Amino acid sequence: MHLISQEYVIQNLYCNVTFLILDQFPRMDGTPEMMDVSTEEVAAEPLVGMMDMVLLTLLGVVSIYYFFIRNTNKKEDNSALKSFTISPTQLAPRASDSSFISKMKSSGRNVIVFYGSQTGTAEEFAGRLAKEATRFGMKGMVADPEECDMNELAQLTEIDNHLAIFCVATYGEGDPTDNAQEFYEFLQNGDEQLDGMQYTVFGLGNKTYEHYNAMAKYVDKRLGELGAKRLFELGMGDDDANMEDDFITWKDAMWPKVCEVFGIDSQAQDINMRQYRLTVLEDYDPARLFTGEIARLNSFKVENQRPPFDAKNPFMAEVGVNRELFKGGNRNCLHIELNIESSRIRYDAGDHVAVYPVNDQALVSHLIALVGEDPEKVITLTNVDEDSSKKHPFPCPCTYRVALSHYVDITALPRTHVLKEIAEYATDNKEKEKLLLMSGTSEAGKAEYQRWVVQDVRNIVHILEDLPSCKPPLDYLCELLPRLQARYYSISSSSKLYPNTVHITANVLKYETPTGRINKGVCTTYMQNQRPDNDTKLHMPIFVRKSQFRLPSKPQTPILMIGPGTGIAPFRGFIQERNLQKEEGKPVGKTVLYFGCRNKANDYLYEEELTAYRDSGLLKLYVAFSRDQPEKVYVTHLLEGNKKEVWEIIGKENGHLYVCGDAKCMARDVHALIIKICQTEGGMTQEEAEQYVRKMINQKRYSSDVWS
């Protein structure tokens, strides 16, 4: 210690002397002590005293040593000090969180599966592929492209027998999903050469939509253009038919081809595929348990909310209004108003609001009882792969009840791999054989899965009811079943008129299945129960997602809106905004709405509002009541009857066309009719009409907000 004491003492002495000198001068900070010192007292004291002289001399000596003499001993002192240096613990270099190449190299992986997912299905498929790689003697990992440095793709060639798999869904008008947006831009704008990178692509789409699997087709094509080597053909799943069957057929053909290229055995090994390890907590702090939060603990408590709000940090919006829109019948339609005043959330008419639902509590309790588990047991599920960026399947620790209420989708139809995994826990041979048959690839098995699960609409609760000997561990079900996703709704208000509230218009889903069970929509049932009263304030976790479904920038541009049923939602916001512009004295173009419902007396949504807008001269309104007469009348019938006016708006006046609602029938029929009107009223050939409609879409003059 004596080796460092000399310089330490000198430095401290230097500081102390400086402090003493400064302390000799009167304080000049305007404090009461300073104000008490009279000018006479100050004048009577000598400017420099004996103590001042001593201190100044001492300071001079210290300064000469500090700045001139000490440097001559620096080398010697430093070498001596080395023996007293405390070195930090040497840690193995840790890969950057965004460097998937470093993670693959450090953990010996050769397969990486990227996913572009909006509803969770692509992410689920990616996880299944990464796990299956292990069965073929490879080692895979799942990666979110939003969290990766995609410039590293070129470095995959440094890994032997590497493979990049892209599971990408198509969203909206042929767009990438939110988490694949940056990857899409990388492919568009980048000139990174990917020579030798081996890849394959599986797309998730719906043939109901015009841009079927557009994202997958683009990724597959663009990677090839950049020099990458396609190891297996592009696969495309159709959600309008049988996505699961499409995926299984593709992957079962893909793996043997990959094994052939890599020169390894293509016979899949039957090994334990558990991804998460269960820990039951006996001693825990209740304040540290998750209770439904998406990411941050206690973030659902209103007092703990902090912006910005998004998918990982939803805003707890207070329910201001929750009223029934239908006037009769046995169906329900909700009008909900959510208060966003303190959130800093901004939205435009046409945007979507996402709501995180909660599963029906009776269904949750029944599922837990079927497997004989304790609903209040506190658990943590931890990834057995220590290198994985996803440590838990959902926020942990939490109780089984919380997990099944907020995080696990227990009403989704289980996919075939789930049936295969739970078959092991069926003690009845016939029940086990049935599960294995449906999870297999035989034609008989596919047909039985389609009939018994898809057509009969059996969720995991129904399956365990009908196969009573099957009692899988509840923690394994939590691992196997997909995550409960947010549900999106077209906002039915304009922020120009309602800046502090977001409005939702939603039908409550409820139907009887072929087995006689009553199935309910997860989110609409949840929202239906969120009815505030004078004593209770209710909140729902939400965030807003921007959309391309927009009014024209110029209010004088004519618009033609087609929105039967709850498809009216975004148009209610559009009409509110156009009415406000009219009241402000701005020139507003033609505003035409085609609305349809079953009966005028029961389900004519917002009848009073629409009638008032029509009577004011703002809105031209056409309404089709499909069941108020012997023959059914839909909006397409009204459009065809007014084809001259339709062509005048979209063909002569350069107006905008909007469609919102059912994609499978209504939107498809409207699209075909618009092409027909371009032919009959615009004098075009079939090919010219189709080209004209495509041009409208590209120019954002024909926009769709549809669902299937």
Side-chain angles (χ1 to χ4, degrees):
M1 192 68 187
H2 67 281
L3 292 171
I4 62 172
S5 62
Q6 186 179 31
E7 185 171 356
Y8 175 81
V9 170
I10 295 293
Q11 288 177 351
N12 278 273
L13 181 60
Y14 182 83
C15 294
N16 290 335
V17 168
T18 304
F19 172 77
L20 287 170
I21 292 173
L22 292 173
D23 197 47
Q24 298 302 309
F25 291 94
R27 296 173 63 182
M28 300 298 291
D29 55 3
T31 59
E33 292 90 339
M34 177 60 193
M35 306 307 293
D36 290 339
V37 179
S38 67
T39 54
E40 291 80 7
E41 289 173 333
V42 172
E45 295 181 3
L47 290 175
V48 181
M50 181 61 67
M51 180 60 71
D52 297 328
M53 293 296 293
V54 172
L55 291 173
L56 286 170
T57 302
L58 185 56
L59 179 60
V61 172
V62 171
S63 298
I64 291 171
Y65 173 81
Y66 191 82
F67 291 109
F68 298 102
I69 299 176
R70 77 183 181 102
N71 288 334
T72 61
N73 298 324
K74 186 174 183 179
K75 185 179 295 186
E76 180 183 352
D77 289 346
N78 283 351
S79 62
L81 283 169
K82 285 181 182 178
S83 60
F84 291 91
T85 301
I86 301 176
S87 301
T89 304
Q90 296 298 313
L91 299 174
R94 184 176 179 178
S96 167
D97 286 342
S98 64
S99 175
F100 63 87
I101 288 292
S102 297
K103 291 178 181 177
M104 291 179 73
K105 288 181 176 180
S106 64
S107 57
R109 299 171 196 273
N110 63 324
V111 176
I112 182 166
V113 191
F114 296 101
Y115 64 87
S117 184
Q118 200 71 35
T119 62
T121 306
E123 182 179 2
E124 177 197 333
F125 283 1
R128 288 166 66 178
L129 289 170
K131 288 172 70 173
E132 283 200 8
T134 308
R135 294 187 187 272
F136 294 93
M138 294 172 264
K139 198 172 181 183
M141 66 178 285
V142 178
D144 182 345
E146 190 175 35
E147 299 176 356
C148 295
D149 179 3
M150 299 306 282
N151 287 293
E152 290 189 335
L153 283 175
Q155 299 177 43
L156 278 170
T157 55
E158 300 171 7
I159 298 174
D160 292 337
N161 282 349
H162 72 272
L163 175 65
I165 305 176
F166 297 86
C167 280
V168 289
T170 299
Y171 165 71
E173 300 293 315
D175 302 317
T177 57
D178 292 344
N179 77 308
Q181 182 64 45
E182 291 181 9
F183 173 51
Y184 177 68
E185 293 170 359
F186 162 78
L187 291 177
Q188 278 190 312
N189 307 325
D191 54 1
E192 184 80 27
Q193 286 303 302
L194 303 177
D195 296 344
M197 187 200 87
Q198 300 176 138
Y199 76 94
T200 186
V201 180
F202 183 81
L204 295 83
N206 190 314
K207 282 186 177 176
T208 301
Y209 300 94
E210 180 182 358
H211 304 280
Y212 174 61
N213 266 312
M215 182 61 179
K217 293 174 184 176
Y218 176 77
V219 171
D220 181 62
K221 175 175 173 288
R222 184 61 178 147
L223 289 173
E225 291 173 348
L226 294 174
K229 179 183 178 182
R230 185 185 298 106
L231 218 58
F232 190 69
E233 64 189 25
L234 167 67
M236 291 189 288
D238 179 15
D239 197 36
D240 190 44
N242 191 330
M243 178 79 77
E244 176 75 4
D245 191 24
D246 294 336
F247 175 66
I248 290 174
T249 302
W250 175 82
K251 74 177 181 63
D252 285 352
M254 182 268 295
W255 285 123
K257 176 62 176 177
V258 171
C259 292
E260 178 187 333
V261 174
F262 289 175
I264 58 180
D265 187 4
S266 61
Q267 186 65 39
Q269 305 170 40
D270 188 14
I271 58 176
N272 179 24
M273 298 299 291
R274 287 297 300 263
Q275 187 176 352
Y276 295 96
R277 179 181 65 255
L278 171 67
T279 303
V280 177
L281 280 67
E282 302 292 348
D283 185 20
Y284 56 86
D285 179 0
R288 304 300 299 171
L289 300 184
F290 284 91
T291 57
E293 301 92 333
I294 305 305
R296 183 169 58 87
L297 187 67
N298 295 322
S299 61
F300 275 14
K301 294 181 178 178
V302 176
E303 63 273 16
N304 288 340
Q305 293 262 283
R306 53 175 185 259
F309 297 105
D310 53 27
K312 295 180 180 178
N313 183 37
F315 176 66
M316 295 301 290
E318 183 180 345
V319 181
V321 174
N322 188 346
R323 62 183 174 89
E324 177 63 49
L325 286 176
F326 286 165
K327 304 179 184 73
N330 58 0
R331 299 182 302 137
N332 299 97
C333 186
L334 307 175
H335 172 84
I336 298 174
E337 298 180 13
L338 302 172
N339 191 326
I340 60 168
E341 187 172 3
S342 61
S343 68
R344 303 182 192 172
I345 290 176
R346 301 291 178 263
Y347 74 94
D348 294 299
D351 285 343
H352 301 131
V353 59
V355 179
Y356 280 103
V358 179
N359 281 316
D360 180 80
Q361 290 304 289
L363 203 61
V364 169
S365 297
H366 187 38
L367 174 56
I368 296 173
L370 282 171
V371 296
E373 191 51 89
D374 177 6
E376 304 310 321
K377 183 179 288 185
V378 177
I379 63 161
T380 289
L381 293 179
T382 307
N383 203 319
V384 296
D385 180 0
E386 296 180 356
D387 298 311
S388 174
S389 58
K390 189 173 185 178
K391 300 302 180 187
H392 311 284
F394 44 76
C396 293
C398 66
T399 65
Y400 272 128
R401 184 181 298 283
V402 166
L404 296 174
S405 298
H406 296 271
Y407 301 134
V408 180
D409 193 343
I410 62 175
T411 62
L413 303 185
R415 301 194 185 276
T416 55
H417 76 287
V418 176
L419 304 185
K420 181 179 181 180
E421 297 298 330
I422 67 173
E424 178 186 344
Y425 302 97
T427 56
D428 182 276
N429 287 333
K430 288 185 178 179
E431 293 179 2
K432 177 178 287 190
E433 288 171 4
K434 185 178 185 66
L435 289 168
L436 291 175
L437 173 68
M438 292 187 293
S439 64
T441 57
S442 69
E443 291 304 316
K446 291 178 180 179
E448 183 64 4
Y449 175 81
Q450 186 68 20
R451 182 194 69 81
W452 200 77
V453 176
V454 178
Q455 293 176 5
D456 286 352
V457 202
R458 279 183 171 90
N459 59 40
I460 189 63
V461 179
H462 304 152
I463 289 172
L464 296 182
E465 282 179 338
D466 293 343
L467 303 177
S469 81
C470 184
K471 296 188 180 299
L474 192 52
D475 65 290
Y476 200 18
L477 287 180
C478 289
E479 173 182 327
L480 290 170
L481 297 175
R483 280 288 300 270
L484 185 59
Q485 301 290 328
R487 269 49 172 182
Y488 293 88
Y489 300 92
S490 300
I491 296 176
S492 59
S493 56
S494 167
S495 60
K496 302 293 190 297
L497 196 64
Y498 298 100
N500 295 323
T501 56
V502 164
H503 297 187
I504 296 175
T505 306
N507 280 330
V508 178
L509 183 62
K510 185 178 180 180
Y511 60 94
E512 184 176 348
T513 73
T515 64
R517 295 178 169 98
I518 300 298
N519 279 1
K520 300 177 182 178
V522 176
C523 197
T524 52
T525 301
Y526 162 69
M527 292 194 298
Q528 186 180 29
N529 294 328
Q530 305 304 299
R531 294 188 183 275
D533 56 38
N534 295 330
D535 301 323
T536 307
K537 288 185 177 181
L538 299 175
H539 298 81
M540 296 195 302
I542 69 161
F543 64 93
V544 167
R545 181 177 68 185
K546 292 297 179 182
S547 166
Q548 299 298 317
F549 204 72
R550 287 282 182 270
L551 275 170
S553 56
K554 297 178 181 178
Q556 61 266 36
T557 302
I559 62 172
L560 193 159
M561 303 168 287
I562 304 164
T566 54
I568 195 177
F571 302 139
R572 181 172 180 260
F574 282 10
I575 296 167
Q576 288 173 353
E577 199 156 313
R578 300 275 273 202
N579 187 63
L580 186 61
Q581 291 168 338
K582 183 172 179 282
E583 290 177 347
E584 292 172 345
K586 296 177 182 177
V588 175
K590 291 179 183 177
T591 304
V592 181
L593 172 67
Y594 284 80
F595 173 72
C597 62
R598 294 182 183 181
N599 310 104
K600 184 179 189 298
N602 293 338
D603 51 0
Y604 188 174
L605 303 181
Y606 304 112
E607 178 182 3
E608 294 79 10
E609 289 183 25
L610 296 177
T611 302
Y613 288 129
R614 182 197 63 193
D615 294 345
S616 73
L618 169 75
L619 181 66
K620 193 163 188 179
L621 179 62
Y622 298 97
V623 184
F625 303 109
S626 64
R627 302 187 185 183
D628 275 353
Q629 59 283 315
E631 69 285 353
K632 297 227 178 135
V633 177
Y634 298 112
V635 290
T636 46
H637 295 123
L638 301 185
L639 283 165
E640 192 164 18
N642 298 322
K643 56 188 176 183
K644 291 188 182 298
E645 181 187 52
V646 172
W647 174 248
E648 186 175 320
I649 292 174
I650 68 172
K652 296 180 180 179
E653 298 176 356
N654 221 30
H656 286 218
L657 174 67
Y658 300 92
V659 181
C660 183
D662 168 51
K664 195 167 187 178
C665 297
M666 184 276 298
R668 182 181 289 177
D669 292 344
V670 167
H671 186 81
L673 181 59
I674 295 299
I675 292 175
K676 182 180 176 182
I677 290 174
C678 289
Q679 291 177 259
T680 59
E681 302 304 311
M684 301 178 185
T685 66
Q686 173 82 17
E687 185 178 348
E688 289 171 340
E690 290 175 355
Q691 187 175 357
Y692 183 79
V693 170
R694 278 196 297 270
K695 183 180 178 182
M696 286 182 64
I697 294 171
N698 293 335
Q699 293 175 338
K700 304 296 183 184
R701 289 181 49 229
Y702 181 176
S703 301
S704 299
D705 182 4
V706 294
W707 55 86
S708 58

